[in-house]
Amino acid sequence: MKYYIIAGEASGDLHGSNLMKALNQKDAEADIRFWGGDLMQNSGGTLVKHYRELAFMGFAEVILNLKTILNNIKICKADIEQFNPDVIIFIDYPGFNMRIAKWAKQKGIKTHYYISPQIWAWKENRIKDIKRDFDKLYVILPFEKDFYEKKHHFPVEFVGHPLIDAIHNSTTSDDNAFRTENHLDKKPIIAILPGSRKQEITKMLTLLLSVVEDFPDYQFVIAGAPSQEYSFYEPFLKDKNIKFVSNKTYDLLANAHAALVTSGTATLETALFKVPEVVCYKGSWVSYQIAKRIITLKYISLVNLIMDEQVVTELIQNECNPKRIKAELTKILDENHRTTLLKKYDELEQKLGGIGASEKTAKLIVEAIC
């Protein structure tokens, strides 16, 4: 069978790569063409466009890059028509993917959405488009099944969270090996996860690194995104207490004592590695003003959303400043606070279900199109 997969971000590349491996196991004749990244490329198939050419964050940034986005949509449609797949598998990235799905459905191509758009956070009216344009929906958060089925009467499959698979299948370096390989000393590590897009990295790293001098007994290590070159990070590495690793986020989290994390999938990854964290986010003024008027969620981190309580501290916009970052980092370095937090992390993992999300999703897709 022929599969066309569209993932537009680093997290989608991760989950897409594991799904591709599972599809190849379920279908020995799988022919996969995709938009994604290095991890998906390493899983086989044919890469059409890398997600680094697609990732624009925030409302203002999308508007500024609208011409590029529209051109990418045109290229994608033409490529799908030429490939003529049995199914298109969309992974998150709703602004782009839902446009393609509407067109594909009209063409009579089967449309499956893996890691559904977070319409429970904003744009809930998109449910009409989802019902119209998608044959199957696979959700990864426990509360999403009730949201779609009970509130909107649209059947979905809860397959569990693929991050559990990704972490379970990963091979991470032990402490001594990781420190030796990356020229780190014996001080406890505070991981810095500033995101994957240039706009957010530039904004967030300056803030997150502002507290380095306040914690001389720790070493700060930046997790470089696979989509960015070392030269991009180099200006941030002048302080001797700041280290850098590229494309080794899981190794870093496996050996970290605490973390400062830009809001996103990384907040959940950090929790699943059982690393105490402070969640930080500061966007452009325009994007934030728009977002706060249309997003009504109590929390921005997946950890707190899934648990429906404040498990990790969230420092958003004006609250995300050096004084607050220092205070909250100090808290999670306290042993009593850490013990309480780690117990909550255990509860979080239980809510997400066990391993097997990728295999379960691949099985359902293959069965649906055969």
Side-chain angles (χ1 to χ4, degrees):
M1 305 297 280
K2 297 169 74 173
Y3 306 85
Y4 200 98
I5 304 176
I6 306 174
E9 298 174 299
S11 59
D13 180 38
L14 172 63
H15 304 320
S17 68
N18 287 323
L19 179 63
M20 287 170 66
K21 292 172 187 174
L23 284 170
N24 284 320
Q25 290 174 353
K26 303 292 181 185
D27 181 358
E29 297 182 359
D31 182 6
I32 303 174
R33 191 170 177 86
F34 64 91
W35 294 46
D38 298 340
L39 295 176
M40 292 174 75
Q41 192 164 25
N42 291 339
S43 300
T46 303
L47 174 66
V48 180
K49 221 175 212 335
H50 200 288
Y51 70 80
R52 72 168 65 96
E53 300 178 54
L54 310 175
F56 303 106
M57 66 171 293
F59 302 97
E61 290 80 7
V62 167
I63 291 170
L64 290 172
N65 291 281
L66 189 58
K67 184 177 179 181
T68 300
I69 293 169
L70 292 175
N71 188 53
N72 284 334
I73 290 171
K74 183 179 179 181
I75 292 169
C76 187
K77 289 177 179 178
D79 194 62
I80 291 170
E81 283 200 297
Q82 184 175 10
F83 185 59
N84 190 28
D86 294 291
V87 63
I88 304 175
I89 303 167
F90 303 90
I91 301 179
D92 202 2
Y93 199 49
F96 186 92
N97 275 337
M98 291 186 70
R99 286 172 177 260
I100 299 296
K102 180 180 179 180
W103 167 85
K105 186 69 173 178
Q106 292 170 350
K107 292 284 184 180
I109 305 170
K110 291 181 179 178
T111 53
H112 289 209
Y113 213 146
Y114 177 44
I115 309 179
S116 61
Q118 297 174 349
I119 65 170
W120 39 265
W122 69 302
K123 291 191 175 181
E124 191 168 342
N125 61 343
R126 279 180 166 177
I127 187 64
K128 296 176 183 177
D129 297 336
I130 288 173
K131 287 181 174 182
R132 182 192 66 213
D133 298 333
F134 293 96
D135 298 306
K136 296 287 184 180
L137 200 64
Y138 308 99
V139 301
I140 64 172
L141 299 174
F143 59 80
E144 289 181 316
K145 188 171 178 65
D146 282 349
F147 172 82
Y148 282 105
E149 293 189 344
K150 291 184 178 180
K151 186 173 183 180
H152 293 292
H153 312 292
F154 183 66
V156 301
E157 297 281 355
F158 172 61
V159 294
H161 206 293
L163 273 183
I164 296 178
D165 283 352
I167 292 170
H168 182 266
N169 295 333
S170 65
T171 302
T172 55
S173 302
D174 64 30
D175 187 70
N176 287 333
F178 180 68
R179 291 174 187 273
T180 300
E181 290 167 5
N182 297 285
H183 310 291
L184 306 178
D185 58 37
K186 292 296 182 181
K187 292 179 181 178
I189 293 169
I190 294 176
I192 304 291
L193 279 63
S196 59
R197 305 179 184 98
K198 283 188 175 181
Q199 297 102 317
E200 67 181 343
I201 294 170
T202 300
K203 185 177 289 288
M204 294 308 302
L205 263 184
T206 303
L207 271 171
L208 300 180
L209 296 177
S210 66
V211 300
V212 169
E213 293 183 0
D214 297 308
F215 298 91
D217 296 330
Y218 297 84
Q219 59 188 322
F220 289 72
V221 183
I222 299 169
S227 56
Q228 306 299 339
E229 301 293 333
Y230 173 77
S231 58
F232 174 69
Y233 294 93
E234 202 166 10
F236 298 98
L237 305 177
K238 296 175 183 178
D239 190 300
K240 63 181 180 180
N241 202 28
I242 300 172
K243 304 294 184 180
F244 174 83
V245 297
S246 181
N247 204 17
K248 295 181 181 178
T249 300
Y250 281 11
D251 284 317
L252 175 58
L253 289 174
N255 295 287
H257 188 68
L260 298 175
V261 186
T262 296
S263 177
T265 304
T267 63
L268 185 55
E269 290 174 308
T270 303
L272 291 174
F273 270 99
K274 308 301 170 63
V275 180
E277 64 182 304
V278 181
V279 176
C280 306
Y281 180 76
K282 190 166 189 174
S284 71
W285 184 87
V286 172
S287 294
Y288 177 70
Q289 292 301 317
I290 296 172
K292 75 176 185 178
R293 285 165 171 77
I294 60 177
I295 299 175
T296 58
L297 296 175
K298 290 188 290 185
Y299 309 108
I300 65 168
S301 71
L302 284 172
V303 176
N304 292 344
L305 285 168
I306 294 165
M307 294 295 288
D308 196 26
E309 63 175 295
Q310 184 173 300
V311 173
V312 296
T313 298
E314 299 178 350
L315 301 179
I316 306 170
Q317 210 62 12
N318 292 336
E319 286 293 301
C320 188
N321 59 64
K323 183 178 179 180
R324 286 299 310 279
I325 295 171
K326 177 184 175 182
E328 296 303 329
L329 181 54
T330 300
K331 283 183 185 178
I332 64 171
L333 293 174
D334 174 78
E335 285 305 317
N336 290 330
H337 189 97
R338 292 172 64 83
T339 300
T340 302
L341 186 54
L342 293 177
K343 287 180 180 177
K344 287 292 183 182
Y345 282 173
D346 290 337
E347 293 177 29
L348 170 73
E349 188 167 1
Q350 290 174 8
K351 281 195 171 190
L352 290 173
I355 62 174
S358 304
E359 288 77 8
K360 186 183 296 184
T361 304
K363 181 175 182 290
L364 290 167
I365 291 171
V366 172
E367 288 175 350
I369 65 174
C370 286

